[in-house]
C-alpha cells in the first residue's frame, strides 16, 4: 500500500481566520515587524519628497548632480555597512532582539537628522539611519515568514514588502502638509524627519511582547519553547499535541538535520557551498538587481527631475502627483499580494515584466515627444504611463521580492542569503542614486532607452529561471533546489511518517537541548523518533 501524501493543508484551520483566536492574535502581533517595512518606506522616500520642498533646497543650498546623489545614497551606504553583520546578530540573539537594536540605532539617527544644522550632519544622520535599518529589515521579514500561520505565510510575507509604500505615503503627504503649514521654513523638513521617530519607539516598547521565531528556537536547541510558540500561535487553545504543531515540529527538525548534513560552517561561503545554494543565490541576486534597475528608480528617487522633464514645475502639483502615486503603488502591491497564492509566483513575475516593458517603452516615447516637440498631450500621457508602469512593477517586484527570496532559502542560510539580497539591493540602489541624476541631466530622455533594453533581458531571465513555489511550506520550497536525491529521500521517509501519524496517539513531549525528544508514556522513543526526525510532509510530483 503506497504511503499517503500528506501536506500542511491537511492539518490547517479551514474556517475564516478571524474566528480562530490564536491566528487572529498572531496576525495582530505580526503588525509590529510589518512596521519595519513601513519605516523603511518612510525613510527611503524622505529625500525624494524633501527635494520638492523649497525650504529644504534653500537650507542646503540647492544640492544637484553628484551632491544630490550622495545625499540620496547616504542611507544606502549605512545599510550596506551594517548588512554583512546583521544576519549574525539575527542568528545569535534572535529576530526580536535584532529588531530592537535596529530601532534604537534608527531613533538616534532620526534625532540627529531632525536637528541637523549642516549638510555634513544631515549626511551623517542618513548613514546612522541606514545602519539601524540594516538590522531591522534583516530580522523583521525573517520573523514574519517563520512565525506566520502556514496558509498565511505567502500573503503575510508579501504584505511585508508591500507595506514599504505605506511609509512612502506617510512621507509624501507629511511633506505636502508641512509645506502648506511652514512654506519655506526649516520646519517644513524638520517635522517630517521627526515623524520617523514614532515607529522605532513603538517597536522598542512592544517587541518583547510578541513570540520569537520557532525555527530560531529549534536551531538553538530550545525545542520545548518552539513547541509552545507553535501551539500558542497555530493551535487554538495552545495544545502542543495538536497535529499541525507536531507536523511542523517534525518538518522543521528534519529540515535542520538535512541542512547540517549538506552544508556546514557559518560564513557567507555557505550560501554558495552546494549546487542548490548557488542556483538560489543566482536567482535571488538577479531578481534583486531587476527590482532596482527596471526604471523605477527614476521616479522613486528623482521624481522632481522627471516631472521637470515633462514641464510640470509647480511644487504643490509635484507633491500631489507624488502622494497619489504612493497610494496607487500601495494598492497595486496589495493586488499582487492577494494574487500570489491564486496565480502563483512565476505567472505574476511574467505578467509584471511584460507589462513593465510595454509601459516603459511608451513612457520613453512620450517623454521624447515632449522633449523634442514640447507636446503637451505627451506630457499628460507621461503621468498616466508612470502610474501604469508602477502597477506592473508593484504587482511582482514589490509584493514578491522578499517573499520569493525567503521561500527558496533553507533556514541555515536564510538570514545570510537575505542579507546578500539586501546588499545587492542597496548596492544597485546606491549606483542608481549616483548615476541617475548625472545621466538625466546629461542625455535626458535618451537614458530611458537603456532601461527599455534591460527590461527585455529581465523578461528572458524570468522565463528561463523562475521556479514556481506556490503551495509549499518553507522547508518544502527550500528543497526544490537541492536535486532529486534530497527530494526523493524526503518522499520516502515522510511517507512512512505520514502512515503512522494517526496511529501513534501521543505527540512528542519536547524538552530544551540539542536533539532532545522525549515521548509520553504511551509511545516508545524508538517508535516515534524515526518519524519525528523526518519531515511529516511528502512532495506531490
Amino acid at each position: 500500500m503506497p504511503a499517503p501524501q500528506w501536506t500542511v493543508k491537511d492539518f490547517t484551520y479551514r474556517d475564516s481566520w478571524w474566528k480562530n483566536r490564536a491566528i487572529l492574535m498572531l496576525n495582530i502581533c505580526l503588525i509590529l515587524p510589518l512596521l519595519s517595512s513601513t519605516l523603511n518606506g518612510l525613510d527611503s522616500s524622505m529625500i525624494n519628497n524633501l527635494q520638492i520642498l523649497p525650504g529644504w533646497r534653500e537650507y542646503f543650498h540647492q544640492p544637484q548632480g553628484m551632491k544630490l546623489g550622495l545625499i540620496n545614497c547616504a542611507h544606502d551606504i549605512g545599510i550596506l555597512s551594517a548588512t554583512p553583520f546583521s544576519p549574525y546578530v539575527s542568528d545569535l540573539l534572535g529576530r526580536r532582539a535584532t529588531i530592537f537594536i535596529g530601532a534604537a540605532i534608527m531613533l538616534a539617527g532620526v534625532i540627529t537628522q531632525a536637528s541637523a544644522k549642516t549638510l555634513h550632519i544631515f549626511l551623517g544622520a542618513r548613514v546612522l539611519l541606514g545602519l539601524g535599518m540594516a538590522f531591522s529589515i534583516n530580522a523583521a521579514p525573517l520573523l514574519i515568514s517563520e512565525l506566520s500561520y502556514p496558509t498565511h505565510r505567502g500573503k503575510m510575507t508579501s504584505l511585508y514588502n508591500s507595506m514599504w509604500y505605506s511609509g512612502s505615503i506617510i512621507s509624501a503627504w507629511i511633506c505636502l502638509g508641512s509645506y502648506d503649514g511652514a512654506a519655506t521654513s526649516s520646519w517644513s523638513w524638520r517635522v517630517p524627519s521627526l515623524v520617523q521617530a514614532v515607529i522605532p519607539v513603538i517597536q522598542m516598547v512592544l517587541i518583547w511582547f510578541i513570540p520569537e521565531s520557532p525555527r530560531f528556537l529549534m536551531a538553538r536547541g530550545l525545542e520545548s519553547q518552539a513547541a509552545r510558540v507553535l501551539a500558542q500561535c497555530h493551535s487554538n487553545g495552545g495544545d502542543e499535541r495538536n497535529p499541525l504543531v507536531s507536523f511542523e515540529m517534525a518538518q522543521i527538525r528534519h529540515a535542520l538535520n538535512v541542512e547540517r548534513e549538506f552544508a556546514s560552517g557559518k560564513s557567507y561561503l555557505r550560501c554558495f557551498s552546494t549546487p542548490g545554494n548557488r542556483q538560489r543565490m543566482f536567482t535571488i541576486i538577479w531578481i534583486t538587481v531587476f527590482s532596482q534597475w527596471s526604471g523605477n528608480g527614476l521616479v522613486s528617487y528623482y521624481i522632481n527631475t522627471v516631472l521637470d522633464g515633462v514641464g510640470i514645475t509647480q511644487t504643490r502639483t509635484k507633491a500631489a502627483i507624488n502622494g497619489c502615486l504612493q497610494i496607487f503603488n500601495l494598492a497595486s502591491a496589495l493586488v499582487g499580494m492577494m494574487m500570489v497564492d491564486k496565480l502563483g509566483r512565476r505567472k505574476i513575475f511574467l505578467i509584471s515584466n511584460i507589462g513593465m516593458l510595454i509601459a516603459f517603452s511608451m513612457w520613453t516615447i512620450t517623454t521624447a515627444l515632449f522633449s523634442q516637440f514640447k507636446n503637451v498631450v505627451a506630457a499628460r500621457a507621461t503621468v498616466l504611463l508612470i502610474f501604469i508602469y508602477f502597477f506592473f512593477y508593484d504587482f511582482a517586484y514589490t509584493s514578491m521580492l522578499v517573499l520569493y527570496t525567503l521561500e527558496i532559502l533553507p533556514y541555515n542560510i536564510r538570514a545570510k542569503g537575505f542579507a546578500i539580497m539586501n546588499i545587492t539591493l542597496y548596492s544597485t540602489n546606491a549606483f542608481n542614486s549616483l548615476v541617475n541624476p548625472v545621466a538625466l541631466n546629461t542625455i535626458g530622455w535618451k537614458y530611458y532607452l537603456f532601461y527599455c533594453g534591460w527590461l527585455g533581458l529581465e523578461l528572458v531571465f524570468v522565463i528561463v529561471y523562475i521556479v514556481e513555489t506556490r503551495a509549499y511550506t518553507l522547508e518544502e520550497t527550500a528543497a526544490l533546489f537541492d536535486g532529486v536525491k534530497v527530494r526523493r529521500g524526503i518522499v520516502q521517509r515522510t511517507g512512512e511518517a505520514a502512515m503512522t501519524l494517526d496511529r501513534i496517539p501521543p505527540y512528542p513531549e519536547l524538552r530544551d537541548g540539542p536533539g532532545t525528544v522525549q515521548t509520553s508514556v504511551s509511545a516508545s522513543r524508538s517508535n516515534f523518533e524515526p518519524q519525528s526526525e523526518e519531515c511529516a510532509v511528502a512532495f506531490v510530483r
Side-chain angles (χ1 to χ4, degrees):
M1 178 181 175
Q5 303 295 300
W6 296 83
T7 69
V8 71
K9 289 187 177 180
D10 294 321
F11 305 100
T12 53
Y13 185 73
R14 304 292 178 87
D15 206 349
S16 300
W17 63 268
W18 55 85
K19 296 180 181 179
N20 185 306
R21 186 178 184 277
I23 303 175
L24 175 62
M25 294 305 298
L26 170 61
N27 289 341
I28 291 173
C29 287
L30 290 177
I31 292 173
L32 200 62
L34 283 171
L35 288 176
S36 290
S37 185
T38 299
L39 181 58
N40 190 18
L42 175 60
D43 187 54
S44 299
S45 303
M46 186 60 66
I47 297 300
N48 190 40
N49 296 315
L50 293 182
Q51 289 176 52
I52 298 173
L53 302 178
W56 182 84
R57 295 198 305 269
E58 291 172 9
Y59 194 90
F60 293 111
H61 310 296
Q62 306 291 339
Q64 294 179 354
M66 287 295 284
K67 182 182 289 187
L68 181 58
L70 181 60
I71 294 172
N72 261 323
C73 73
H75 174 258
D76 299 341
I77 292 171
I79 291 179
L80 287 170
S81 300
T83 294
F85 309 102
S86 60
Y88 292 101
V89 178
S90 289
D91 287 341
L92 180 64
L93 301 180
R95 309 332 190 189
R96 297 183 304 172
T98 307
I99 292 173
F100 179 88
I101 292 169
I105 297 173
M106 284 188 286
L107 183 59
V110 167
I111 295 171
T112 306
Q113 177 178 304
S115 60
K117 295 184 178 180
T118 67
L119 183 59
H120 294 92
I121 295 175
F122 188 86
L123 285 171
R126 299 297 299 164
V127 172
L128 190 58
L129 275 163
L131 289 171
M133 188 65 68
F135 291 98
S136 182
I137 62 176
N138 180 268
L142 296 177
L143 182 59
I144 292 168
S145 66
E146 294 171 357
L147 189 59
S148 294
Y149 196 72
T151 53
H152 292 182
R153 177 181 47 79
K155 289 185 175 65
M156 292 302 293
T157 311
S158 177
L159 179 62
Y160 169 80
N161 214 38
S162 302
M163 290 295 288
W164 191 95
Y165 282 116
S166 65
S168 186
I169 290 168
I170 294 170
S171 175
W173 291 101
I174 286 285
C175 286
L176 177 59
S178 64
Y179 171 73
D180 287 341
T184 59
S185 164
S186 66
W187 285 105
S188 66
W189 62 267
R190 294 188 193 275
V191 169
S193 296
L194 287 171
V195 170
Q196 292 175 266
V198 174
I199 293 177
V201 170
I202 292 174
Q203 288 187 321
M204 290 173 67
V205 172
L206 298 180
I207 193 63
W208 305 111
F209 293 95
I210 69 173
E212 181 58 271
S213 161
R215 286 168 175 84
F216 165 77
L217 294 172
M218 287 281 283
R220 303 294 291 179
L222 304 174
E223 292 201 2
S224 65
Q225 291 186 36
R228 283 196 295 272
V229 169
L230 287 172
Q232 174 190 348
C233 298
H234 295 181
S235 168
N236 205 11
D239 182 11
E240 294 182 25
R241 292 161 52 93
N242 181 280
L244 176 60
V245 175
S246 295
F247 179 93
E248 292 183 285
M249 289 293 292
Q251 189 180 61
I252 295 169
R253 184 185 299 109
H254 174 72
L256 290 173
N257 288 341
V258 169
E259 290 162 16
R260 293 187 189 105
E261 178 183 347
F262 280 83
S264 59
K266 296 184 178 181
S267 74
Y268 278 90
L269 293 177
R270 193 177 190 179
C271 297
F272 303 92
S273 61
T274 67
N277 285 353
R278 288 191 288 273
Q279 183 183 349
R280 291 181 179 98
M281 297 316 304
F282 176 79
T283 303
I284 289 169
I285 287 171
W286 278 110
I287 63 172
T288 304
V289 170
F290 297 158
S291 75
Q292 298 303 303
W293 283 0
S294 295
N296 54 301
L298 297 175
V299 171
S300 295
Y301 296 95
Y302 297 99
I303 190 169
N304 189 53
T305 305
V306 169
L307 293 179
D308 280 341
V310 291
I312 299 174
T313 57
Q314 292 185 348
T315 297
R316 206 177 192 289
T317 303
K318 290 178 182 177
I321 290 173
N322 187 46
C324 291
L325 179 61
Q326 304 317 311
I327 295 173
F328 179 80
N329 282 335
L330 177 60
S332 302
L334 293 177
V335 170
M337 179 205 74
M338 297 301 296
M339 302 303 291
V340 291
D341 291 328
K342 294 182 180 179
L343 295 179
R345 285 50 162 163
R346 179 178 168 84
K347 189 175 292 185
I348 287 180
F349 271 117
L350 286 170
I351 293 170
S352 173
N353 279 91
I354 292 170
M356 282 196 298
L357 178 58
I358 295 171
F360 196 88
S361 298
M362 296 175 68
W363 175 4
T364 302
I365 293 170
T366 56
T367 303
L369 287 173
F370 179 81
S371 178
Q372 299 293 106
F373 307 108
K374 302 302 177 185
N375 189 314
V376 177
V377 175
R380 293 172 181 169
T382 298
V383 175
L384 176 62
L385 286 168
I386 289 173
F387 278 78
I388 294 172
Y389 165 83
F390 268 96
F391 171 80
F392 287 107
Y393 173 84
D394 295 323
F395 191 63
Y397 285 94
T398 296
S399 65
M400 287 209 312
L401 177 63
V402 171
L403 167 63
Y404 195 77
T405 297
L406 294 179
E407 278 188 334
I408 66 176
L409 289 170
Y411 177 84
N412 66 338
I413 63 167
R414 189 169 294 144
K416 294 180 180 65
F418 189 62
I420 291 174
M421 188 215 81
N422 279 323
I423 290 171
T424 304
L425 189 149
Y426 287 101
S427 296
T428 52
N429 193 31
F431 179 84
N432 276 347
S433 297
L434 293 171
V435 172
N436 281 347
V438 177
L440 287 171
N441 290 336
T442 305
I443 59 176
W445 69 269
K446 295 177 183 177
Y447 182 50
Y448 291 28
L449 295 173
F450 163 78
Y451 286 111
C452 291
W454 186 258
L455 284 165
L457 294 176
E458 289 183 17
L459 178 58
V460 173
F461 180 93
V462 168
I463 292 171
V464 174
Y465 290 105
I466 295 297
V467 176
E468 182 56 68
T469 60
R470 178 177 56 168
Y472 293 119
T473 65
L474 283 176
E475 285 69 33
E476 293 169 339
T477 301
L480 287 173
F481 289 79
D482 290 316
V484 175
K485 181 179 178 181
V486 172
R487 295 199 293 271
R488 185 179 297 148
I490 292 177
V491 169
Q492 292 171 349
R493 298 171 186 176
T494 58
E496 296 171 2
M499 286 286 286
T500 57
L501 188 61
D502 279 339
R503 292 207 304 262
I504 298 175
Y507 295 98
E509 182 181 319
L510 300 169
R511 296 181 181 176
D512 292 344
T516 49
V517 180
Q518 184 170 349
T519 60
S520 60
V521 291
S522 54
S524 71
R525 180 181 180 88
S526 61
N527 196 26
F528 186 89
E529 193 169 69
Q531 287 83 27
S532 68
E533 283 298 323
E534 312 306 335
C535 171
V537 139
F539 288 100
V540 181
R541 282 286 181 266

